[in-house]
Amino acid sequence: MSTRIIWLRNINNSELLNNNTNTTTISDYRYIKLIILLSCQIISILCSLFIFVNIIHQPLKFIKPIGNHFIFVLLITSFIQVTTELSMVESYLRTGIVQPSNNSYCLFFNWYEFSLNGISLFVMFWATIERHILIFTRSIYQIRWKCIVFHYLPLSIATLYTPTFYGYVIFIYNCANTWDYYELLCTSPCFYQNKILGSIDWLINIIIPAFSIVLVNIILIIRVTCRSTSVRITIQRKKKNRKMTVQLLVISSLFLIFWLPIAITGLIQQYFSPTFLIDIQFNIFFYLIYFIQLFLPFVCLISLPELKKVIRVKLHKWRRRNLIIDGASLQMATIG
């Protein structure tokens, strides 16, 4: 859950919101949210472990394709968030209070939440751009320095940018925090009191990457469709381009489904109506972000062709073993 909307909720007409008798508090649905998140968390962790075990068993097979690198960054980020930060959220949902209730923990909680969500969003943003390179100018990655400049460097920046940015505005920026330990994340950190800094964070770290993912994906679909009509492209290459496009669309769709509601309503709240869907956003849309990390392992599972082959082989062996066991049991029963 992001406190960016808490900031939007407080910067204008807070009296109107406080006087609204129909406002629903988070605590009304705490236990329902806890049960849903905890159930999904267990399944998500098991799926992540299955993927990691197969990657460790055959590392070169999964890691060598350069187009898979962003998926592994997302998987690692997802696993860290689901096993650690989400447990912090569940602790709040269980007790109704952030514990331990102190300044240091609240600072870390906000930084950890914002950083992990930001890493996933910006890595996904870069992946949509890089997919154009992989499909249309892949040869540049055959040159080592270009591979570093156009692949590893942008991926590293996408991974390190948000922890660095929020490390500064949360830990270093000079302002006084006023925490409410009965709100998730202890409410918003004090840098949101600076409306310019808050607007920059909202626009650059949410609005721009979220809507850019949509735009870049649309452009990619158009380019791939147009190129597929070229007689100079082999059928094998067309199939590969289509698979790479579908893989990106499946993963990016997960991000768009859960990020766009917050991005769109937040944009409307900031520039048109500060109370637009504020209760729905505060009680529902905030928590949708966690389902990106919870569902990501399953989406990656069906998006990695190498992993799908491993699953098919294991299923085939399992069915074959069951047939042999059933046959042997039938034979013994006949003899008996």
Side-chain angles (χ1 to χ4, degrees), residues 11-26:
I11 59 174
N12 287 311
N13 299 330
S14 59
E15 294 82 3
L16 175 61
L17 290 172
N18 291 332
N19 293 331
N20 185 354
T21 57
N22 293 323
T23 298
T24 305
T25 60
I26 296 178

Side-chain angles (χ1 to χ4, degrees), residues 136 222-239 241:
F136 301 105
I222 295 173
R223 291 187 69 187
V224 170
T225 303
C226 292
R227 188 170 184 179
S228 63
T229 60
S230 175
V231 294
R232 294 179 297 175
I233 305 299
T234 63
I235 296 176
Q236 183 179 2
R237 187 62 193 175
K238 289 179 181 179
K239 289 182 179 179
N241 289 347

